[in-house]
């Protein structure tokens, strides 16, 4: 089994056989013969096009065994991916998940690869909400009979970083369709951008700016680090408007945690904002 997850040798020029996990509720893998023309392309973590009964299916190559499990083998039709979609570490994790939850390995592999990646998409269109260019008086007239529009205009005006439609809807306590209606009315404008699915692709590792915390930030950070130092479970809710410095508290609290030899997990509620968040964290931490 060790050769299935060898990070240094995910593919072999002499690979004659491939072990394939299917996206089917079958808790076993199937061996196929690799034709000579595909031996330079086959690798663990890539998808392959294979015959399965009377069907033609996609599966994930999960191993390159020296000897097959059966004697009579069908040949793969071809290799779908130029590069492996599953890393050796993720291959181990998905195998553990399949064994632990008693499900098919192929079903787990499909679940961890985003649909856009499987279909070859490189990004998605995301709408960012900006001021509509109207005067305060004009916006006031448009929002007179619509408290929701007024809240939308206020949220967008106070934002110190790009806000997505979902962000504005959450902060203004309304639906995303209401935000789009506000655009049609001229209260705000929406600019669409294609956001790379690889959120780390364009992150620039820059040194962090140096500044002192405000008095309230110092007090908040002290309360958070008290819990970290006590090594006790607890929940701390930070309340503050956009731009009030909550992320800086997170960064310094995590630095305290990591500095004591422990780890931290950061959850970002809106995927389109992940690049900015990653950039801030990469500037502080080496991993």
């Amino acid at each position: 089994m060790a050769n299935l997850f060898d990070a240094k040798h995910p593919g072999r020029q002499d690979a004659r056989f491939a072990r394939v996990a299917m996206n089917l509720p079958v808790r076993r893998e199937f061996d196929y013969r690799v034709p000579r023309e595909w031996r330079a392309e086959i690798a663990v973590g890539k998808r392959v096009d294979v015959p399965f009964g009377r069907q033609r299916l996609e599966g994930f190559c999960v191993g390159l065994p020296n000897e097959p499990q059966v004697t009579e083998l069908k040949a793969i039709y071809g290799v779908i991916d130029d590069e492996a979609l599953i890393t050796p570490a993720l291959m181990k994790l998905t195998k553990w998940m399949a064994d632990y939850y008693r499900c098919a390995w192929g079903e787990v592999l499909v679940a961890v690869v985003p649909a856009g990646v499987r279909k070859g998409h490189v990004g998605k269109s995301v709408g960012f909400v900006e001021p509509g260019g109207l005067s305060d008086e004009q916006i006031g007239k448009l929002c007179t009979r619509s408290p929701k529009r007024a809240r939308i205009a206020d949220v967008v005006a106070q934002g110190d970083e790009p806000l997505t439609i979902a962000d504005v809807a959450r902060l203004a306590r309304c639906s995303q369709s209401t935000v789009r209606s506000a655009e049609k009315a001229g209260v705000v404008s929406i600019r669409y951008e294609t956001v790379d699915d690889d959120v780390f692709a364009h992150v620039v590792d820059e040194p962090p700016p140096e500044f002192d915390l405000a008095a309230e930030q110092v007090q908040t950070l002290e309360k958070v680090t008290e819990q970290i130092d006590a090594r006790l479970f607890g929940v701390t809710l930070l309340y503050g408007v956009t731009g009030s410095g909550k992320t800086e508290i997170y960064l310094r609290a995590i630095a305290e945690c990591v500095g004591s030899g422990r780890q931290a997990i950061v959850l970002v509620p809106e995927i389109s904002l992940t690049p900015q968040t990653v950039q801030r964290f990469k500037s502080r931490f080496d991993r």
Side-chain angles (χ1 to χ4, degrees):
M1 195 68 175
N3 70 318
L4 300 187
F5 308 119
D6 191 340
K8 294 182 180 178
H9 303 287
R12 299 204 319 262
Q13 295 293 321
D14 62 341
R16 297 170 55 210
F17 308 107
R19 188 155 295 158
V20 179
M22 304 293 208
N23 182 23
L24 296 171
V26 180
R27 296 190 62 231
R28 58 162 292 193
E29 292 73 56
F30 301 87
D31 286 353
Y32 287 86
R33 182 169 51 83
V34 180
R36 188 174 299 277
E37 64 268 26
W38 291 109
R39 291 179 187 174
E41 304 295 330
I42 192 73
V44 173
K46 289 186 177 183
R47 290 174 300 168
V48 290
D49 186 14
V50 298
F52 189 81
R54 297 183 179 180
Q55 306 177 73
R56 185 168 182 159
L57 301 177
E58 289 183 8
F60 278 92
C61 175
V62 296
L64 301 171
N66 294 321
E67 296 295 335
Q69 297 171 327
V70 296
T71 55
E72 295 185 9
L73 299 177
K74 295 181 179 180
I76 66 170
Y77 291 131
V79 179
I80 297 172
D81 304 305
D82 294 330
E83 298 182 3
L85 301 183
I86 306 292
T87 63
L90 195 54
M91 191 68 71
K92 287 184 178 180
L93 175 61
T94 54
K95 182 64 169 70
W96 175 88
M97 292 171 64
D99 292 341
Y100 185 83
Y101 293 106
R102 301 186 65 80
C103 60
W105 194 1
E107 292 181 311
V108 180
L109 288 166
V110 168
V112 301
V113 178
V117 174
R118 296 198 304 271
K119 295 175 182 177
H121 297 167
V122 296
K124 66 175 183 178
S125 180
V126 176
F128 292 91
V129 188
E130 302 173 336
L134 301 179
S135 65
D136 292 341
E137 183 180 353
Q138 291 173 313
I139 293 177
K141 291 180 180 179
L142 291 172
C143 298
T144 301
R145 298 183 180 181
S146 178
K148 291 182 180 179
R149 284 184 184 175
R151 290 200 300 269
I152 291 170
D154 188 52
V155 165
V156 174
Q158 292 186 20
D160 59 354
E161 58 185 29
L163 297 174
T164 66
I165 296 174
D167 291 330
V168 174
R170 173 174 52 83
L171 294 171
R173 306 187 303 281
C174 65
S175 66
Q176 295 188 32
S177 61
T178 303
V179 178
R180 295 187 180 93
S181 296
E183 182 206 21
K184 293 180 180 178
V187 176
V188 295
S189 64
I190 299 178
R191 169 177 51 84
Y192 287 90
E193 289 186 8
T194 298
V195 177
D196 201 319
D197 283 331
D198 179 4
V199 298
F200 300 98
H202 305 296
V203 172
V204 179
D205 190 1
E206 298 177 346
E210 296 184 5
F211 58 88
D212 296 327
L213 295 180
E216 288 185 343
Q217 288 178 307
V218 172
Q219 294 173 4
T220 303
L221 181 60
E222 287 176 350
K223 291 184 178 181
V224 174
T225 53
E226 282 176 7
Q227 283 196 337
I228 294 174
D229 295 338
R231 294 178 177 264
L232 297 175
F233 173 77
V235 176
T236 302
L237 174 63
L238 303 189
Y239 177 78
V241 298
T242 301
S244 60
K246 298 186 297 297
T247 302
E248 185 62 29
I249 301 298
Y250 302 150
L251 286 162
R252 300 203 184 195
I254 290 171
E256 174 80 12
C257 183
V258 173
S260 62
R262 287 177 284 169
Q263 297 178 332
I265 296 175
V266 181
L267 304 181
V268 181
E270 172 55 46
I271 189 64
S272 62
L273 294 182
T274 306
Q276 296 103 295
T277 306
V278 169
Q279 183 163 339
R280 293 190 67 175
F281 277 79
K282 276 180 66 68
S283 69
R284 299 292 185 93
F285 306 102
D286 59 1
R287 62 185 178 88

